[in-house]
Amino acid sequence: MKNVAIEMKHVSRKFVSPTGKITLALRDFSLTVHEGDFIAIVGPTGCGKSTTLGMITGLNPPSSGSVKVFGKSVQGIDPNIGFVFQADAVFPWKSVIDNVAIGPIFRGTDPKIANDMAADWIRRVGLSGFEHHYPHQLSGGMRKRVALAQTFINEPKILLMDEPFSALDVQTRALMQEELLGLWSEKKASVIFVTHDIEEAIALADRVIVLSKGPGSVKSSYEIPLARPRDISEARYSDEFVHLSKQIWSDLKDEVQI
């Protein structure tokens, strides 16, 4: 039995506007993620998907309920957690290698060792030859590869991803999904991947969680029986994949219809 990496029990999260209006983003939300699990969360806009990630990082403490990481209540930022955002979180004035090396340097690694580590990760994400380029000289997909290298170089035990590939074109997105699965299979971090795309969720995850419209709560959970290692391009055309996609969409459509 794998150890529990993330445990959220009966969590609710309220936000108060400057005018005093209270908005309930999540209500009675519970989720357990074991070590090495790859979980995808789908749901309509405003259902609290990003709020969920914020509570795990410690940036948005719950209004009620409990959030634990490796058995300990979340208090502040945990260095075991990596976060990949929808927007590129790269420093525009730094080169690729400097962007990738900055995490280890910040954590106290000798700069020469950090640069050697960064060069290795740049190679692993397919960016050899671009070490001294700057973000504005890279395509969207290449910047996402930098973001993955930035995150994986710190060897996070938990990886939180908030719609990281949504701005990419279809072909680049498919390549980045394959890249992510390859890196994850090496390190086996526990992943929570937020997306609006049902097919992306099925292609990547071991389990897909469907949230209700806001205030969000767990509406349903689907185990994904597709074999690993997973060839996404092949899996998408399987009868099992199509059936799951229809099932999840049927469950989700009532939440997104006005």
Side-chain angles (χ1 to χ4, degrees):
M1 183 68 177
K2 294 186 290 187
N3 294 326
V4 174
I6 302 167
E7 186 176 44
M8 307 178 76
K9 284 188 175 181
H10 305 295
V11 169
S12 295
R13 181 68 168 101
K14 297 176 182 178
F15 292 96
V16 181
S17 73
T19 61
K21 180 182 177 181
I22 296 175
T23 300
L24 185 61
L26 281 173
R27 177 178 57 199
D28 195 29
F29 177 88
S30 296
L31 176 66
T32 299
V33 181
H34 291 91
E35 289 184 345
D37 283 355
F38 197 125
I39 308 298
I41 298 178
V42 298
T45 299
C47 71
K49 299 186 295 296
S50 298
T51 299
T52 301
L53 302 186
M55 287 192 289
I56 297 168
T57 64
L59 295 174
N60 293 319
S63 303
S64 61
S66 65
V67 181
K68 293 182 178 180
V69 171
F70 298 114
K72 297 181 180 179
S73 296
V74 172
Q75 294 179 340
I77 306 301
D78 190 328
N80 289 314
I81 297 176
F83 207 127
V84 181
F85 299 89
Q86 181 176 356
D88 297 324
V90 294
F91 297 105
W93 62 89
K94 288 184 176 291
S95 66
V96 168
I97 195 164
D98 288 341
N99 263 291
V100 177
I102 196 168
I105 290 172
F106 182 77
R107 293 167 185 241
T109 302
D110 178 89
K112 184 181 184 308
I113 295 173
N115 273 280
D116 289 343
M117 294 167 61
D120 180 54
W121 274 102
I122 290 167
R123 176 190 58 77
R124 291 167 79 171
V125 299
L127 287 179
S128 293
F130 292 91
E131 291 86 350
H132 301 292
H133 284 60
Y134 288 83
H136 73 273
Q137 297 172 312
L138 306 177
S139 67
M142 293 168 79
R143 289 195 298 273
K144 285 300 177 187
R145 290 176 187 273
V146 174
L148 289 179
Q150 277 181 314
T151 304
F152 276 96
I153 194 174
N154 295 314
E155 298 188 343
K157 294 180 180 178
I158 292 173
L159 181 58
L160 308 178
M161 308 190 78
D162 194 358
E163 299 189 67
F165 307 143
S166 60
L168 302 177
D169 62 76
V170 174
Q171 292 84 1
T172 304
R173 187 171 187 164
L175 290 172
M176 292 309 304
Q177 290 166 357
E178 296 277 8
E179 192 76 47
L180 171 61
L181 284 187
L183 295 173
W184 170 76
S185 66
E186 290 180 37
K187 297 299 179 181
K188 287 296 186 182
S190 305
V191 178
I192 299 183
F193 188 102
V194 165
T195 179
H196 278 96
D197 188 325
I198 293 173
E199 289 194 359
E200 180 172 61
I202 297 169
L204 294 173
D206 299 313
R207 179 160 43 111
V208 175
I209 307 295
V210 179
L211 297 192
S212 66
K213 60 188 173 184
S217 59
V218 176
K219 182 176 183 180
S220 54
S221 176
Y222 292 86
E223 297 293 329
I224 307 301
L226 303 174
R228 296 201 187 274
R230 189 175 298 170
D231 185 332
I232 293 177
S233 59
E234 291 294 327
R236 288 182 189 276
Y237 298 104
S238 69
D239 292 339
E240 204 166 26
F241 191 103
V242 173
H243 177 67
L244 277 166
S245 183
K246 288 179 178 178
Q247 269 193 308
I248 296 173
W249 169 240
S250 177
D251 213 10
L252 185 60
K253 67 180 179 181
D254 292 337
E255 304 301 322
V256 299
Q257 288 175 343
I258 298 174

